[in-house]
Amino acid sequence: MKLRKYGRIAVELPASLTAVSSRGQGIIVDISLTGCRVHSQLAVKKNESIGLLIEVPGHDKPLYINQAAIRWANNQEFGIEFIQMELSDRQRLHEVVAKNAGPR
């Protein structure tokens, strides 16, 4: 079993997902600096490429992940690895993770 480089933080963030042949909505149920777990009705396959817009409370515009990859899929949940995003979105992702991680 492969260990995660970064721990996942529990969240509930709405997201818009765009796969090769379909679009849909989902809820990000946990997130890290390198990926997330999504609950969605969207049918996806392992290793499929996907784009995401993640709504973040207190921010005017959503986080935009240009390219991500489906790493596993099980029923209505799947794991995503973030592959490519703009530096400004990467910095906001760091803020989101730090804010939701709470005190250690």
Side-chain angles (χ1 to χ4, degrees):
M1 178 158 86
K2 184 178 174 184
L3 295 176
R4 295 188 193 285
K5 187 173 182 178
Y6 296 100
R8 296 272 174 105
I9 307 300
V11 293
E12 269 191 51
L13 302 172
S16 297
L17 314 162
T18 305
V20 174
S21 60
S22 59
R23 288 185 171 175
Q25 301 298 311
I27 300 292
I28 307 299
V29 294
D30 65 32
I31 195 165
S32 76
L33 298 176
T34 58
C36 64
R37 180 168 48 112
V38 179
H39 182 84
S40 175
Q41 301 290 326
L42 187 67
V44 296
K45 296 179 182 140
K46 185 177 177 184
N47 296 322
E48 184 175 4
S49 186
I50 192 167
L52 290 95
L53 287 171
I54 302 172
E55 298 293 331
V56 179
H59 290 267
D60 292 336
K61 63 181 198 170
L63 280 173
Y64 176 51
I65 290 84
N66 309 25
Q67 182 183 10
I70 305 298
R71 294 302 180 210
W72 60 268
N74 186 8
N75 296 323
Q76 295 176 347
E77 287 195 335
F78 46 92
I80 295 176
E81 178 184 3
F82 302 146
I83 305 296
Q84 183 181 28
M85 71 178 76
E86 297 293 326
L87 180 59
S88 60
D89 287 305
R90 175 118 7 233
Q91 290 168 334
R92 287 195 308 137
L93 176 60
H94 278 266
E95 292 172 14
V96 168
V97 169
K99 178 182 177 187
N100 287 286
R104 295 207 167 215

